[in-house]
Amino acid sequence: MAEKLLREDYYNLNNLESYGSPITAVFGERGNGKTHSALEKMIRLFEKEGLESAYMRRTEAEIEVIKNDIFNDIAQLYPQYKFELKGSDKAGYYYTLNGKKFCYLFALSTAYKMKGTSKPNLYFTFFDEYIPENLQFLKNEPNKILSYISTVYRHRKFRVHFASNSISYVCPLLEMFKVYPRDDKEFYKVKSEGKLMFVLQITGESSYREKMKKSDIYLLSKMVNLDSYMFNNKALLDNEAHIVSKKPAGFDTSLCAFKIDGKIYGVWINNDTSAFYFYDKFDKSELNYMAYYIFPEDKSEGFFDIRGYRRERSEEHTSELQSP
């Protein structure tokens, strides 16, 4: 039988906040309190210091879906407060706390519209559900994040916090800070000119996790091989099931080559199983026109920008859809 979960069993932002970094992120199992802890921080900031916050999602469509429910659960723990949604889709939504504005609702995709506006009391921005399960990010997303920060905060102090389930550790935010999480580490810190600017936390063992492992949900997740994702922070979509460790018979089709950190990797495919084989020791004369670089520093003669390939494929797909 599952044990009753107490408030102290859930995730708390305090350890991450103690670093004092202006930008933070936490990735962890679903339902462990990541969102709840951030919403409580909004209430504390407004209650104690009169500071406003912003709740962010990637698109306006996401905001429309969840706008009425953001504070439903937490309101039960704060009966002394009345949370009300105000505004409109055109003018923008916000929440009031006992009649006073305390939390804006923003979409990253349209944050550029705020240029020229002034929100001097806005201090904390919380980007919830940062990594979508379909891994569909915005074009030039790091630029949009930085543009939002510079537009809203300008020269003021700020806190921007991201939270996500452990779907994947490959995303624009971590690429922006060059953070590549490993299973055995909880905190990752990034400095710029000696100043701490970003801290990522991968939630570790907790009483929440131990109690949930006695629940029916845990038993069900084990049946469908999702227990590592749901309760041990193994990124759901970061796996190598489609990549074989050595080149066996059948991998005869040379697909392409990539240049990564100055090293060239050949890619072969098994046409029967669609499995891939990556290897850096091969006859470079085998390289054909399909040789790509991913990062600008690897640009060199004979290698093409992978983004150009993606644009070509997108245009081909569009032409196919428009064909009679």
Side-chain angles (χ1 to χ4, degrees):
M1 177 182 289
E3 296 182 54
K4 183 178 180 179
L5 287 164
L6 306 175
R7 287 191 71 179
E8 56 264 30
D9 292 322
Y10 288 94
Y11 174 77
N12 192 300
L13 258 176
N14 288 346
N15 285 344
L16 184 56
E17 285 283 300
S18 68
Y19 285 98
S21 175
I23 306 176
T24 57
V26 58
F27 294 171
E29 56 261 61
R30 185 184 301 275
N32 73 346
K34 299 181 299 298
T35 296
H36 187 99
S37 186
L39 297 181
E40 280 197 317
K41 178 179 174 67
M42 292 180 180
I43 295 172
R44 290 195 305 271
L45 284 170
F46 187 73
E47 182 182 48
K48 295 180 180 180
E49 303 178 53
L51 295 175
E52 297 171 343
S53 300
Y55 179 92
M56 179 174 280
R57 286 290 188 94
R58 186 163 278 102
T59 65
E60 289 184 321
E62 291 179 61
I63 292 292
E64 283 294 330
V65 170
I66 52 87
K67 67 179 188 292
N68 295 299
D69 305 321
I70 296 171
F71 289 95
N72 282 358
D73 290 339
I74 206 166
Q76 299 177 33
L77 299 175
Y78 293 89
Q80 70 273 34
Y81 292 136
K82 183 178 181 181
F83 299 89
E84 289 187 288
L85 178 67
K86 303 285 187 177
S88 65
D89 57 344
K90 290 184 178 180
Y93 296 106
Y94 61 91
Y95 267 88
T96 60
L97 187 65
N98 289 346
K100 297 180 180 179
K101 183 185 294 185
F102 93 108
C103 178
Y104 300 93
L105 306 189
F106 292 149
L108 181 61
S109 61
T110 56
Y112 67 90
K113 294 180 180 179
M114 290 186 289
K115 290 183 177 180
T117 63
S118 177
K119 293 179 173 56
N121 292 323
L122 177 55
Y123 174 73
F124 179 62
T125 295
F126 171 44
F127 196 138
D128 198 12
E129 303 289 351
Y130 174 70
I131 301 180
E133 293 196 10
N134 62 7
L135 297 184
Q136 294 296 306
F137 299 99
L138 301 177
K139 184 178 180 181
N140 298 324
E141 186 157 296
N143 292 346
K144 288 180 170 60
I145 292 172
L146 292 177
S147 176
Y148 167 78
I149 293 173
S150 63
T151 296
V152 171
Y153 296 110
R154 298 172 185 171
H155 300 296
R156 294 184 287 116
K157 288 185 177 181
F158 65 89
R159 289 289 187 272
V160 176
H161 178 61
F162 299 78
S164 175
N165 296 323
S166 297
I167 297 168
S168 174
Y169 297 146
V170 180
C171 63
L173 178 68
L174 299 191
E175 283 294 331
M176 183 167 72
F177 290 104
K178 305 300 180 188
V179 172
Y180 309 103
R182 297 289 181 264
D183 295 335
D184 58 348
K185 193 174 179 181
E186 183 176 3
F187 290 98
Y188 299 80
K189 294 167 281 186
V190 180
K191 294 182 179 182
S192 177
E193 296 185 2
K195 178 176 172 53
L196 187 65
M197 294 302 298
F198 176 71
V199 180
L200 166 69
Q201 180 182 12
I202 306 294
T203 57
E205 291 297 327
S206 63
S207 56
Y208 169 86
R209 185 179 294 181
E210 291 309 308
K211 287 185 177 182
M212 285 301 294
K213 285 183 177 180
K214 299 175 183 177
S215 69
D216 290 344
I217 294 176
Y218 176 72
L219 295 177
L220 180 61
S221 70
K222 286 199 73 171
M223 291 175 62
V224 294
N225 297 320
L226 287 176
D227 53 304
S228 291
Y229 156 62
M230 295 182 68
F231 299 99
N232 287 313
N233 272 347
K234 299 289 185 182
L236 178 64
L237 301 180
D238 296 348
N239 64 75
E240 299 178 353
H242 61 297
I243 301 176
V244 295
S245 57
K246 59 181 181 179
K247 185 181 177 183
F251 286 79
D252 300 321
T253 302
S254 174
L255 188 63
C256 63
F258 291 102
K259 190 173 185 181
I260 305 173
D261 290 335
K263 206 168 190 177
I264 300 173
Y265 296 85
V267 184
W268 289 262
I269 186 172
N270 184 312
N271 293 314
D272 295 325
T273 65
S274 296
F276 295 101
Y277 169 68
F278 290 74
Y279 196 49
D280 66 323
K281 295 179 175 58
F282 64 97
D283 186 351
K284 302 302 187 294
S285 65
E286 294 181 39
L287 289 179
N288 52 32
Y289 68 94
M290 291 188 294
Y292 303 101
Y293 66 89
I294 299 175
F295 303 109
E297 54 266 30
D298 287 317
K299 183 178 180 180
S300 58
E301 185 177 356
F303 288 82
F304 298 90
D305 189 340
I306 188 64
R307 291 172 296 181
Y309 170 77
R310 291 177 61 186
R311 284 194 293 270
E312 289 173 10
R313 294 291 295 168
S314 176
E315 291 169 1
E316 290 175 7
H317 180 61
T318 301
S319 297
E320 290 171 2
L321 292 176
Q322 293 175 346
S323 299

